[in-house]
């Protein structure tokens, strides 16, 4: 989330490039992310080198080697590897720095992992470095140097903010999920190295990144095994999108976080071209809201489950189809999915309740996606069984997520997220909760009797507390006393005025 000082620094970088002659918003956005990637690549290796030095061991895997680098785009061009590193070239004179990036650094980063058909190599090969002048480049580099780069997903945050800035976000109901909400969903699902993880509407790969970070933290020992690390780097994570820029950012993001070859590809997940079925053990997503697609392009098995053009319903149907039996899903949906009265809405909810195991509905306040949208949303958590299994559904009414629910989204003390995670992982303790509390169970039978309505307000009870008022005689006596006091003060005021006259 971009706020305050960081927002001002990014605005300044944007204005510098714009003033320098690049007036296409998407081009500005991409040039900024390429430079961020250059810096983060070097930052990552600097940290790794420092850790290796402390431990007294050689650094095995590194992007920037020692000695001379031959630029594969032009075998006659070579430079020292150190000149490709941000911490070195950012001290060059502006003209020398521009030449260095154009001729050496940018061609080099495009060919990282060369010879392998990776997501990164696919989506970087046609990119072009377009910063026009040395003066503009120097200002942008200084601006990036002044930014705090300790944020785990700074590229995703910058991309989110710039999309909002150019009014490109939200045209099809697409809003990047706040990182703390992504992290909450990952904590709820607790991915492991046994999972195969998918986000079929991946954007800048936030769910995949958070899952990778969770596994790296909680399964350090298991990752030390060669076969597990190989799976982690190539095969475990998949993401689809129809935005080439998003795919590029996602591929760069994953590489920066140690996932060298995720299955990231350009694909309309809802179309008949997506033939993957029962292939994943965990799906986490925030699919487009309120969008629609051409009926003839939608995969027929999705229409068989719920006949509609609404993307928020079709994606939920897709999750069911793409999960293996026993696979789990956590997805953000607009509130309309929970209570919509159309045949497709009801059919989808009935599918989740009757044929799968719907585990939880977590209602979120409408300000979670501000400043980009004020839409009310919820998180659906279910397990694919194809044989039912829903006995009762856990509902939680989130009031606060740690940030103000206005456009500023400033940090606040109120935060239900730790409570949501703790209670979800101890559902046995929720059995005695009353409908007047923030979380409670609702039986499948009651949900079915209410047309499979999943909105929490349908089941939440309001507790009315009786207010005790004093007897009427006491109220009248108090009014008389007040009136007498007013009359006395008015008399004194009139006397004062007459004396002055």
């Amino acid at each position: 989330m971009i706020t305050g000082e960081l927002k001002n620094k990014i605005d300044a970088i944007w204005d510098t490039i714009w003033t320098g002659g690049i007036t296409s918003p998407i081009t500005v956005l991409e040039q900024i992310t390429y430079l961020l990637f250059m810096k983060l690549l070097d930052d990552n290796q600097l940290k790794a080198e420092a850790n290796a030095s402390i431990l007294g061991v050689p650094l095995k895997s590194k992007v920037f080697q020692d000695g001379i680098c031959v630029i594969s785009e032009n075998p006659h061009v070579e430079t020292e590897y150190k000149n490709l590193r941000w911490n070195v070239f950012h001290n060059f004179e502006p003209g020398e720095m521009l030449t260095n990036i154009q001729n050496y650094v940018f061609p080099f980063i495009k060919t990282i992992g060369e010879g392998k058909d990776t997501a990164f190599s696919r989506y970087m090969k046609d990119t072009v470095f377009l910063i026009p002048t040395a003066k503009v480049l120097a200002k942008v580099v200084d601006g990036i140097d002044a930014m705090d780069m300790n944020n785990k997903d700074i590229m995703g945050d910058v991309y989110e903010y710039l999309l909002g800035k150019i009014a490109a976000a939200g045209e099809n109901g697409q809003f990047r999920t706040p990182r703390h909400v992504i992290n909450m969903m990952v904590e709820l699902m607790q991915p492991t190295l046994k999972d195969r993880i998918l986000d079929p509407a991946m954007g800048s790969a936030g769910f995949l990144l958070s899952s990778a970070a969770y596994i790296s933290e909680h399964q350090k020992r298991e990752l030390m095994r060669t076969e597990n690390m190989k799976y982690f780097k190539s095969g475990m994570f998949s993401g689809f999108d129809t935005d080439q820029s998003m795919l590029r950012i996602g591929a760069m993001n994953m590489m920066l976080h140690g996932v060298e070859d995720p299955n990231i590809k350009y694909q309309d997940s809802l179309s008949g071209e997506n033939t993957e079925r029962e292939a994943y053990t965990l799906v986490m997503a925030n699919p487009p809201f309120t969008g629609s697609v051409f009926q003839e392009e939608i995969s027929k098995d999705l229409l068989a489950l719920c006949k509609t053009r609404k993307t928020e319903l079709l994606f939920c149907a897709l999750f069911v189809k793409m999960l293996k039996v026993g696979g789990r899903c956590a997805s953000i949906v607009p509130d309309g999915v929970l209570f919509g009265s159309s045949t497709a809405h009801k059919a989808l909810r009935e599918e989740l309740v009757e044929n799968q195991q719907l585990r939880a509905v977590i209602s979120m306040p409408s300000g979670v996606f501000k400043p980009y949208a004020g839409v009310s949303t919820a998180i659906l958590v279910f397990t694919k069984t194809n044989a039912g299994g829903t006995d009762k559904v856990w509902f939680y009414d989130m009031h606060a997520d740690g940030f103000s629910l206005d456009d500023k989204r400033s940090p606040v003390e109120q935060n239900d997220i730790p409570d949501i995670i703790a209670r979800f992982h101890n559902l046995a303790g929720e059995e005695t909760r009353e409908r007047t509390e923030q979380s409670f169970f609702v039986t499948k039978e009651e949900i079915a009797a209410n047309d499979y309505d999943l909105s929490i307000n349908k089941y939440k009870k309001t507790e009315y507390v009786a207010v005790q008022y004093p007897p009427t005689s006491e109220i009248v006596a108090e009014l008389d006393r007040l009136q007498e006091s007013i009359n006395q003060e008015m008399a004194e005021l009139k006397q004062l005025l007459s004396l002055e006259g």
Side-chain angles (χ1 to χ4, degrees), residues 231-406:
Y231 176 59
F232 180 82
K233 290 184 174 183
S234 177
M236 184 173 194
F237 302 98
S238 296
F240 311 146
D241 210 289
T242 55
D243 185 324
Q244 292 278 2
S245 295
M246 286 288 193
L247 291 165
R248 193 172 295 126
I249 297 297
M252 287 192 285
N253 255 336
M254 294 300 282
M255 172 168 278
L256 287 169
H257 290 78
V259 184
E260 296 174 358
D261 186 21
N263 177 34
I264 288 176
K265 60 184 178 182
Y266 180 90
Q267 180 170 269
D268 180 351
S269 296
L270 299 176
S271 74
E273 295 178 3
N274 177 12
T275 58
E276 283 194 290
R277 294 294 183 265
E278 298 192 349
Y280 297 91
T281 65
L282 178 58
V283 171
M284 287 180 286
N286 177 16
F289 299 170
T290 70
S292 59
V293 291
F294 294 116
Q295 194 88 15
E296 61 273 15
E297 294 181 0
I298 303 169
S299 183
K300 291 190 170 40
D301 63 339
L302 303 185
L303 292 174
L305 199 153
C306 61
K307 192 171 184 179
T308 181
R309 290 175 55 199
K310 291 184 175 295
T311 55
E312 64 268 32
L313 298 178
L314 290 168
F315 267 100
C316 288
L318 178 71
F319 303 151
V320 173
K321 297 295 183 181
M322 295 192 76
L323 283 170
K324 294 180 178 180
V325 172
R328 301 156 295 140
C329 175
S331 176
I332 295 173
V333 297
D335 271 4
V337 171
L338 307 181
F339 56 77
S341 58
S342 74
T343 302
H345 281 90
K346 292 178 182 177
L348 176 70
R349 296 196 300 265
E350 183 175 358
E351 169 70 23
L352 296 179
V353 172
E354 295 291 351
N355 298 330
Q356 314 304 333
Q357 183 187 21
L358 181 61
R359 300 176 62 198
V361 179
I362 301 166
S363 292
M364 296 192 290
S366 60
V368 166
F369 284 95
K370 284 191 173 183
Y372 309 109
V375 62
S376 293
T377 57
I379 299 169
L380 293 181
V381 180
F382 69 88
T383 299
K384 178 175 179 175
T385 65
N386 283 347
T390 306
D391 178 30
K392 53 196 170 187
V393 179
W394 184 65
F395 286 79
Y396 193 105
D397 189 10
M398 180 198 286
H399 296 156
D401 68 340
F403 296 88
S404 61
L405 298 173
D406 53 20

Side-chain angles (χ1 to χ4, degrees), residues 6-46:
L6 181 56
K7 172 181 176 294
N8 295 334
K9 288 175 180 176
I10 295 169
D11 285 343
I13 292 171
W14 173 283
D15 291 341
T16 297
I17 298 176
W18 187 277
T19 305
I22 298 179
T23 55
S24 164
I26 292 295
T27 303
V28 175
L29 186 155
E30 289 186 330
Q31 299 306 303
I32 291 174
T33 53
Y34 298 154
L35 287 165
L36 282 173
F37 182 64
M38 293 176 197
K39 184 171 192 316
L40 288 166
L41 270 179
D42 189 37
D43 285 354
N44 282 358
Q45 185 157 323
L46 286 171

Side-chain angles (χ1 to χ4, degrees), residues 160 175-182 185 207 285-286 332 369:
E160 170 196 26
F175 303 98
R176 184 171 177 273
T177 319
R179 192 183 329 104
H180 61 285
V181 175
I182 290 175
M185 292 169 67
F207 282 104
N286 177 16
I332 295 173
F369 284 95

Side-chain angles (χ1 to χ4, degrees), residues 213-247:
Y214 183 90
I215 291 166
S216 296
E217 180 181 349
H218 290 84
Q219 295 197 275
K220 291 179 183 177
R221 180 168 295 180
E222 290 86 345
L223 275 173
M224 294 176 72
R225 297 173 62 182
T226 303
E227 62 271 26
N228 286 341
M229 180 55 77
K230 183 178 179 181
Y231 176 59
F232 180 82
K233 290 184 174 183
S234 177
M236 184 173 194
F237 302 98
S238 296
F240 311 146
D241 210 289
T242 55
D243 185 324
Q244 292 278 2
S245 295
M246 286 288 193
L247 291 165

